[in-house]
Amino acid sequence: MQKDVILDATERLILENGANETSISDIAKEVGISKSSLYYYFESKEELIEAVTERYIDNTQRAIDVLVERFSARIKIEAIAKGITKHVKEKKGTAKLHYLLITYGITQDEKVAVMIRERYRKWYKQIIDALDGYKKTRYNEALAQLILTFIDGYTLRNVLGIDIDTDLDGLIKLFKKVCPLE
């Protein structure tokens, strides 16, 4: 229970200040415990941010699982794309956390970067497997890349406050033309 409270506080502070600017003192103060109590649960700031990253990745995995289930259920590309965009819009804080953790991994903690890189590889493979189960085509590997790129691009644009809903229908039409699944 206390670990979840600490992780929640750390996540809030990362969203407010960025990972580099969030200190152990800030986190302890936010939780209302001493730094020594915080060190009881996590040995370092790096370990704490790695735990936040792991929790974030697990939550994102659940969203990817829903996407894969939609392919398995043979739901049209429109429904999948609109489901992704709805999820990202509703989870704007999560989208921002995604990029803050990537930045932290790239600049400060290789372990965080490796965690995210490994999960991206898993998501790519999982999407290919789902597409193959839906309809095996020569486009599935490229389509899996496009899906991940779409999610990343849409997420980044959402974090930046750029609305692409008006572009979504045109993108879906192009997507269906290039990678015919239906």
Side-chain angles (χ1 to χ4, degrees):
M1 168 101 168
Q2 186 71 7
K3 273 190 169 186
D4 285 332
V5 171
I6 294 168
L7 292 173
D8 291 342
T10 304
E11 192 174 300
R12 274 192 311 277
L13 290 169
I14 289 171
L15 285 168
E16 288 174 21
N17 308 320
N20 292 335
E21 305 305 319
T22 299
S23 69
I24 289 291
S25 296
D26 296 334
I27 297 164
K29 183 177 178 184
E30 179 80 11
V31 176
I33 61 175
S34 67
K35 283 179 18 178
S36 61
S37 294
L38 186 65
Y39 283 120
Y40 173 78
Y41 294 100
F42 298 95
E43 292 181 11
S44 65
K45 175 182 166 181
E46 290 76 19
E47 184 181 314
L48 186 50
I49 293 176
E50 289 162 8
V52 167
T53 303
E54 187 173 330
R55 185 171 77 164
Y56 164 76
I57 286 172
D58 289 343
N59 290 337
T60 303
Q61 181 64 56
R62 284 190 281 284
I64 295 288
D65 289 344
V66 169
L67 172 69
V68 167
E69 286 173 22
R70 288 180 177 170
F71 279 128
S72 300
R74 295 188 176 264
I75 291 178
K76 293 186 178 283
I77 292 295
E78 293 93 330
I80 294 167
K82 288 180 181 179
I84 291 167
T85 57
K86 180 181 178 203
H87 176 78
V88 170
K89 279 177 138 178
E90 291 173 355
K91 306 286 185 181
K92 190 167 188 164
T94 302
K96 183 177 178 183
L97 182 65
H98 180 82
Y99 287 101
L100 290 169
L101 291 172
I102 288 172
T103 301
Y104 180 79
I106 291 169
T107 62
Q108 300 294 317
D109 188 340
E110 179 63 19
K111 186 173 180 183
V112 169
V114 167
M115 291 167 69
I116 294 170
R117 228 181 353 258
E118 286 175 357
R119 194 53 66 107
Y120 263 86
R121 286 184 190 112
K122 180 179 179 180
W123 293 333
Y124 172 67
K125 174 81 170 92
Q126 186 177 8
I127 292 170
I128 289 172
D129 290 346
L131 289 167
D132 285 349
Y134 177 79
K135 183 178 181 182
K136 195 163 181 83
T137 74
R138 66 180 186 208
Y139 303 110
N140 287 359
E141 287 184 20
L143 188 53
Q145 288 289 352
L146 282 173
I147 289 168
L148 284 174
T149 300
F150 169 75
I151 293 169
D152 276 342
Y154 186 78
T155 301
L156 180 59
R157 291 177 72 170
N158 187 272
V159 168
L160 293 172
I162 301 168
D163 182 21
I164 68 162
D165 283 344
T166 56
D167 300 337
L168 188 58
D169 288 333
L171 184 62
I172 290 168
K173 284 179 188 173
L174 178 63
F175 189 77
K176 288 171 73 174
K177 195 177 219 181
V178 173
C179 302
L181 280 177
E182 302 171 325

